[in-house]
């Protein structure tokens, strides 16, 4: 059956996919498209308070049949919001010969016409529409002043785009600054906030009908940089509510009573201009726990906030959103129902969330075809939205650095140079070396790059580490299918110099997870409670930056057997804290603990039970075959001449990995002594002639001996045998 020419359908508005934002696309169910007689890529007319045109593409099969997905810019032009109904019909748009646009602020855009053409090509526009064009570091709002021909037009490669010199400042008030599509990876949190805020502001009659008061406040908490302030701005933009932003410290005044007066004025102003949203950033600075503050001012300010949020007088359609990254520092009275009805944690995004954030921040970027954003999302464990924004900006700066040698700063930049500016995969990988997750910056350590092929022997230990760290990240569904959880902790034990720390370095390099290194003794403090707090902080940071690998070197120094020490019970309290962190009420998700020791007999026995250190991996002294592999690795890095790794393995009985490294280093030093004379100039030295021969290794082996004597070796071996039994 052929659809009628004026066939229309009523659809419910939903947010756009992040990859569609800023492209003027409408996602509609294929069945509805067929009813309207619209082909994929055809133009549809959308009617609400105003009228706009969009390019229609089919939605996903999971979407309900009665929805239309459009971005925040299109919703703003329509004067509608999410869940509202719009009328959709088929439309025709002619190719545009010319479009005149006016910016809402003064701009200087080199090659502006070409850049805008590239960003707008394929879009359907109409006179009076507001366009939001993404730049690398910001967005640009433009009003369509006129089109040739009139009516809805399609931007093509031949379209001429003209930018007026005059700005339309008054139109800037009607442009939504932030929409939900500008927030990536927080779909669950946004859904909860919309339930709490949008419904009371748009339909207060529903609550009157049910006989309940609408929600009064929402507390957003989570690590810095996750998007708490951004969510508040998006909610204000989407609801068209009056938005009043307060930064906590700016309320405080040195004059008695003035701080409370400022708060009262803000709430009065919001009530008069209702519906309103009051956003209090860093609320912990003005509403701390009253029993913990010494000043009278803080107590008075807290009391004023409490009475304003839930006092005797009604404050009307005013909703308070507050943000903090220290929720436990807030006064308990402010967190009860009736003040902040719901607390929403804004957490660190997962892989799909990171991909959505990258889509948001790369909208205005000319991306190279070699770049796969999914690969970047996989490589950015523990990154929050602010970190990903910094990463995209750093990658763009790398692109500019490559182009700078071809530029003359005194002249205008040629158009062909601008067209060839593409952000590549290498730019992002280079930027990744500079940007660290903000949760990790305090504990970040630069680990020497070591790969598995640089670790000789120890195949069993390598396999255990890969299974415990890499498998849960790469195959989480496999663990879920067999109903087991991944190992939580791995203890590497063995004689000194056998390669325990080297293994962990290789694991940190190869697994691509966030790495936190802790030297045992640095946790201990002379102040009561400080040592336990240090342990607590390390595990808290690991949870924040998950998936993370925490490495405790010389762990016997911080968790010895309880009752064995003569100190003031510091280590006993640290052991107890360590045990509860590893397997207490709070689950360690996507965090693996690796520890190393050469005295496993000194450790507290509770630490070695399943659920804490699930795997005990013995790192043995290298046998002849392992010694040969280790020596082959060292010899491959040296200009060794006719030196047999097998011969060296035969003459190095009882040598550990560290001893073998020492032997190779000493042979190299002997070779250098032969060629470098005291007072010799650098240019006289011919590096290519320096060779490390078998004779040099023979000389080195005469005075390089295993660092463990036979008696020490027997004592260590006996101790480890007793421990294993």
């Amino acid at each position: 059956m052929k659809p009628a020419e004026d066939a229309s359908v009523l659809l419910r508005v939903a947010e756009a996919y992040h990859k569609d934002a800023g492209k003027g696309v409408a996602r509609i169910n294929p069945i509805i498209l067929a009813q309207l007689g619209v082909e994929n890529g055809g133009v549809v007319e959308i009617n609400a308070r105003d009228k706009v045109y969009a390019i229609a593409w089919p939605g996903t099969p999971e979407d309900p049949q009665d929805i239309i997905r459009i971005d925040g810019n299109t919703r703003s032009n329509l004067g509608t919001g999410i869940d509202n109904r719009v009328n959709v019909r088929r439309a025709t748009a002619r190719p545009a010969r010319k479009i005149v646009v006016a910016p809402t602020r003064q701009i200087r855009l080199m090659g502006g016409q070409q850049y805008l053409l590239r960003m707008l090509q394929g879009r359907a526009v109409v006179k009076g529409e507001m366009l939001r064009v993404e730049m690398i570091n910001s967005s640009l709002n433009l009003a369509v002043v006129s089109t040739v021909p009139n009516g809805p037009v399609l931007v093509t490669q031949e379209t001429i785009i003209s930018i007026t010199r005059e700005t339309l400042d008054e139109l800037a008030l009607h442009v939504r600054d932030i929409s939900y599509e500008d927030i990536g990876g927080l779909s669950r949190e946004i859904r909860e906030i919309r339930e709490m805020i949008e419904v009371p502001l748009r339909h207060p009659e529903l609550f009157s009908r049910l006989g309940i008061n609408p929600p009064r406040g929402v507390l957003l908490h989570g690590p810095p940089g996750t998007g708490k302030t951004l969510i508040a701005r998006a909610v204000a933009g989407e609801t068209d509510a009056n938005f009043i932003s307060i930064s906590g410290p700016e309320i405080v005044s040195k004059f008695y009573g003035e701080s409370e007066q400022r708060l009262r004025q803000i709430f009065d102003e919001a009530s008069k201009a209702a519906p309103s949203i009051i956003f209090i950033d860093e609320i912990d600075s003005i509403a701390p726990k009253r029993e913990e503050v010494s000043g009278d001012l803080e107590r008075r300010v807290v009391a004023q906030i409490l009475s304003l949020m839930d006092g005797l007088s009604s404050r009307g359609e005013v909703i308070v959103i507050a943000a903090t990254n220290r929720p436990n520092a807030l006064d308990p009275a402010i967190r009860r129902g009736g003040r902040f009805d719901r607390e929403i944690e804004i957490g660190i995004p997962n892989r799909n969330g990171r991909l959505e954030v990258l889509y948001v921040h790369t909208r205005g970027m000319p991306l190279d075809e070699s770049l796969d954003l999914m690969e970047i999302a996989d490589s950015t464990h523990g990154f929050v939205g602010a970190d990903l924004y910094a990463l995209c900006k750093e990658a763009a700066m790398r692109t500019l650095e490559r182009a700078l040698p071809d530029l003359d700063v005194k002249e205008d930049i040629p158009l062909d140079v601008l067209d060839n500016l593409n952000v590549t995969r290498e730019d992002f990988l280079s930027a990744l070396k500079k940007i660290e997750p903000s949760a990790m910056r305090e504990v970040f350590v630069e680990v020497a790059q070591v790969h598995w092929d640089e670790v000789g022997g120890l195949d069993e230990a390598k396999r255990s580490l890969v299974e415990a760290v890499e498998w849960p990240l790469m195959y989480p569904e496999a663990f879920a299918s067999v109903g087991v959880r991944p190992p939580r902790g791995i203890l590497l034990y063995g004689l000194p110099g056998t390669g325990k720390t080297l293994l962990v370095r290789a694991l940190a390099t190869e697994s691509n997870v966030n790495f936190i290194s802790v030297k045992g003794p640095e946790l201990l403090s002379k102040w009561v409670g400080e040592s336990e707090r240090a342990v607590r902080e390390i595990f808290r940071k690991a949870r924040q930056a998950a998936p993370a690998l925490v490495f405790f070197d010389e762990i016997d120094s911080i968790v010895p057997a309880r009752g064995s020490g003569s100190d003031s019970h510091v280590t006993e309290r640290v052991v107890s804290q360590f045990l509860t962190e590893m397997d207490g009420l709070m689950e360690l998700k996507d965090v693996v603990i690796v520890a190393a020791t050469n005295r496993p007999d000194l450790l507290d026995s509770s630490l070695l039970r399943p659920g804490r250190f699930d795997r005990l991996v013995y790192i043995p002294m290298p046998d002849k075959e392992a010694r040969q592999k280790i020596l082959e690795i060292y010899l491959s890095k040296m200009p060794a001449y006719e030196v047999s790794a097998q011969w060296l393995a035969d003459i190095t009985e009882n040598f550990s990995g560290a001893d073998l490294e020492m032997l190779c280093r000493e042979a190299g030093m002997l070779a250098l002594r032969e060629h470098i004379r005291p007072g010799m100039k650098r240019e006289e030295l011919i590096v290519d002639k320096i060779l490390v021969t078998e004779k040099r290794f023979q000389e080195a082996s005469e005075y390089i001996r295993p660092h463990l004597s036979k008696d020490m070796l027997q004592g260590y071996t006996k101790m480890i045998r007793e421990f294993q039994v």
Side-chain angles (χ1 to χ4, degrees):
M1 180 180 171
K2 189 177 178 183
E5 286 294 323
D6 57 347
S8 66
V9 66
L10 205 63
L11 298 177
R12 181 167 54 88
V13 174
E15 66 268 29
Y17 301 126
H18 285 84
K19 59 185 178 184
D20 288 342
K23 296 179 179 176
V25 168
R27 293 276 177 182
I28 303 172
N29 189 281
I31 298 171
I32 303 295
L33 286 178
Q35 285 178 17
L36 296 173
V38 179
E39 296 179 353
N40 292 348
V43 180
V44 290
E45 177 190 291
I46 309 171
N47 280 284
R49 196 169 66 197
D50 292 305
K51 183 193 299 183
V52 297
Y53 297 84
I55 305 298
W57 289 102
T60 59
E62 297 81 27
D63 281 345
Q65 191 171 321
D66 67 332
I67 73 165
I68 176 171
R69 291 192 178 274
I70 49 177
D71 63 16
N73 180 232
T74 308
R75 296 197 298 269
S76 179
N77 283 315
L78 281 167
T80 190
I82 291 175
D83 288 335
N84 288 355
R85 300 280 172 174
V86 293
N87 206 291
V88 183
R89 69 180 68 217
R90 187 177 65 177
T92 305
R94 292 179 288 176
R97 294 199 297 275
K98 183 178 180 181
I99 294 176
V100 180
V101 294
T104 55
R105 58 182 170 85
Q106 287 288 346
I107 58 167
R108 180 178 179 270
L109 198 60
M110 291 299 300
Q113 286 80 357
Q114 282 75 13
Y115 180 79
L116 289 178
L117 182 61
R118 193 186 69 186
M119 297 301 291
L120 299 177
Q121 192 171 337
R123 284 186 61 166
V125 298
V126 69
K127 180 182 175 181
E129 185 178 348
M130 293 298 301
L131 302 174
R132 184 174 170 213
V133 179
E134 297 293 336
M135 315 290 283
I136 287 179
N137 205 18
S138 62
S139 60
L140 179 63
N141 296 313
L142 303 165
V144 180
V145 176
S146 66
T147 64
V148 179
N150 288 327
V153 292
L154 207 60
V155 183
T156 67
Q157 203 164 358
E158 286 74 35
T159 302
I160 298 168
I161 296 182
S162 175
I163 306 173
T164 63
R165 291 182 181 276
E166 299 79 21
T167 61
L168 297 174
D169 296 322
E170 67 276 8
L171 286 176
L173 300 172
H174 305 296
V175 179
R176 286 182 185 167
D177 180 28
I178 300 288
S179 63
Y180 291 140
E181 286 81 15
D182 297 322
I183 304 172
L186 298 174
S187 52
R188 178 187 59 82
E189 292 86 346
I190 288 173
R191 189 168 58 250
E192 288 188 35
I193 290 168
R194 286 188 56 230
E195 289 172 8
M196 291 286 294
I197 295 172
E198 277 195 31
V199 177
L201 289 178
R202 284 188 175 163
H203 307 290
E205 68 277 1
L206 292 175
F207 293 88
S208 304
R209 177 74 182 86
L210 291 170
I212 58 172
N213 290 322
R216 293 176 179 273
V218 179
L219 178 66
L220 308 178
H221 63 92
T226 47
K228 300 183 290 293
T229 309
L230 196 67
I231 282 182
R233 287 170 61 193
V235 169
E238 293 278 356
T239 54
D240 291 327
N242 180 38
F243 186 68
I244 301 172
S245 177
I246 312 170
S247 176
E250 72 186 21
I251 287 173
V252 179
S253 169
K254 63 180 179 179
F255 297 110
Y256 194 88
E258 193 168 314
S259 303
E260 300 93 298
Q261 185 185 2
R262 286 181 184 174
L263 278 170
R264 286 195 299 273
Q265 285 174 349
I266 288 166
F267 274 81
D268 287 343
E269 180 188 332
S271 185
K272 288 172 186 172
S276 296
I277 292 174
I278 298 176
F279 176 59
I280 307 176
D281 210 357
E282 307 298 343
I283 192 174
D284 54 280
S285 63
I286 58 169
K289 291 179 178 175
R290 282 173 286 184
E291 66 270 18
E292 292 182 5
V293 293
S294 56
D296 184 47
L297 170 65
E298 290 88 346
R299 292 195 183 96
R300 293 200 317 272
V301 171
V302 174
Q304 182 67 73
I305 291 177
L306 296 178
S307 61
L308 285 170
M309 288 196 68
D310 190 20
L312 291 173
S313 60
S314 172
R315 62 167 197 263
E317 293 176 38
V318 177
I319 289 179
V320 180
I321 304 178
T324 180
N325 48 46
R326 301 173 60 228
N328 295 329
L330 294 178
D331 192 272
I334 208 166
R335 298 178 69 178
R336 72 157 173 81
R339 288 185 178 125
F340 286 116
D341 297 278
R342 189 173 291 181
E343 297 185 3
I344 299 175
E345 182 180 3
I346 312 296
I348 293 175
N350 57 18
R351 184 179 68 169
N352 290 335
R354 293 193 297 270
L355 182 62
E356 288 180 7
V357 176
L358 286 168
Y359 277 138
V360 171
H361 291 311
T362 56
R363 274 180 206 154
M365 284 188 181
L367 300 180
D368 191 75
E369 291 179 0
S370 65
L371 177 62
D372 180 9
L373 289 179
M374 180 60 84
E375 179 191 359
I376 306 301
D378 284 334
S379 307
T380 47
H381 302 298
F383 277 57
V384 295
D387 300 327
L388 292 168
Y389 170 67
L391 175 70
C392 293
K393 195 158 66 171
E394 186 67 31
M397 293 304 293
R398 290 277 168 274
T399 309
L400 286 178
E401 282 177 17
R402 284 191 286 106
L404 278 177
D406 302 327
L407 303 181
D408 185 348
V409 291
K410 294 180 182 178
E411 297 179 2
D412 288 347
I413 301 170
L415 291 178
D416 60 328
V417 174
L418 284 174
D419 289 339
N420 291 329
L421 275 180
N422 284 328
V423 184
T424 64
R425 176 176 178 270
E426 285 68 32
D427 293 328
F428 266 92
L429 296 180
S430 176
L432 266 172
K433 295 174 184 174
K434 283 204 162 189
I435 305 294
E436 282 301 317
S438 50
M440 289 282 295
R441 287 178 187 174
E442 196 177 330
V443 290
F444 173 67
V445 286
E446 190 73 46
V447 183
Q449 292 282 309
V450 178
H451 298 278
W452 287 127
D453 55 6
E454 296 175 58
V455 181
L458 304 178
D459 295 330
E460 184 66 29
K462 286 183 200 173
R463 188 171 58 80
S464 293
L465 289 171
V466 169
E467 288 174 5
V469 178
E470 291 188 19
W471 282 13
L473 289 178
M474 295 175 69
Y475 320 109
E477 63 282 346
F479 283 88
S481 68
V482 295
V484 298
R485 63 162 179 77
R488 185 167 292 156
I490 300 173
L491 178 68
L492 305 177
Y493 68 97
L495 278 63
T498 47
K500 299 182 291 294
T501 308
L502 185 72
L503 270 171
V504 177
R505 279 189 202 154
L507 182 65
T509 303
E510 295 279 3
S511 61
N512 200 22
V513 298
N514 291 317
F515 182 67
I516 300 174
S517 177
V518 186
K519 301 176 189 70
E522 74 185 5
L523 290 177
L524 300 179
S525 168
K526 64 179 180 179
W527 306 109
V528 175
E530 280 297 303
S531 305
E532 300 92 296
R533 190 176 71 83
V535 173
R536 215 164 42 241
E537 278 296 298
I538 284 166
F539 279 88
R540 184 182 68 80
K541 282 189 167 53
R543 286 189 190 95
Q544 274 192 4
L549 171 69
V550 187
F551 175 51
F552 289 90
D553 209 356
E554 306 299 341
I555 194 172
D556 52 278
S557 64
I558 55 169
V559 284
R562 284 171 287 187
S564 62
S566 57
D567 58 7
S568 56
H569 304 289
V570 175
T571 50
E572 293 191 11
R573 294 198 303 272
V574 170
V575 171
S576 301
Q577 182 72 50
F578 203 95
L579 297 177
T580 53
E581 290 289 348
M582 279 202 76
D583 190 21
L585 289 174
M586 288 184 68
E587 187 185 359
L588 268 184
K589 187 171 173 58
D590 290 335
V591 177
V592 178
I593 311 298
V594 179
T597 181
N598 46 44
R599 292 299 307 272
D601 57 314
L602 298 181
L603 295 178
D604 192 270
S605 56
S606 304
L607 203 66
L608 304 176
R609 74 153 173 82
R612 287 179 179 136
F613 282 110
D614 302 279
R615 286 197 173 184
L616 309 181
V617 181
Y618 176 52
I619 310 297
M621 286 287 282
D623 56 15
K624 182 182 173 183
E625 185 182 345
R627 289 199 302 274
Q628 184 174 336
K629 286 182 182 176
I630 294 169
L631 287 162
E632 284 171 358
I633 291 168
Y634 285 125
L635 291 173
S636 67
K637 299 175 184 177
M638 303 174 73
Y641 178 70
E642 293 184 352
V643 179
S644 166
Q646 187 175 354
W647 165 71
L648 281 174
D650 288 334
I651 66 170
T652 50
E653 186 75 28
N654 293 333
F655 272 58
S656 68
D659 298 330
L660 294 172
E661 183 189 8
M662 185 64 190
L663 176 70
C664 294
R665 189 186 305 134
E666 191 57 38
M669 289 300 296
L670 290 170
L672 289 176
R673 282 177 202 158
E674 185 182 355
H675 288 84
I676 300 177
R677 302 183 305 277
M680 183 179 180
K681 293 181 180 179
R682 285 182 65 181
E683 53 269 20
E684 293 179 34
L685 180 65
I686 303 172
V687 177
D688 293 341
K689 286 191 174 182
I690 302 175
L691 294 175
V692 187
T693 60
E694 188 176 303
K695 181 183 177 184
R696 299 291 166 237
F697 276 97
Q698 187 72 53
E699 291 172 13
S701 66
E702 289 174 6
Y703 53 90
I704 295 293
R705 290 281 176 263
H707 74 280
L708 291 174
S709 65
K710 285 191 177 179
D711 291 342
M712 291 170 67
L713 195 60
Q714 286 174 357
Y716 262 114
T717 307
K718 182 183 177 185
M719 176 268 294
I720 285 172
R721 198 178 295 120
E722 289 173 356
F723 169 74
Q724 289 173 331
V725 170

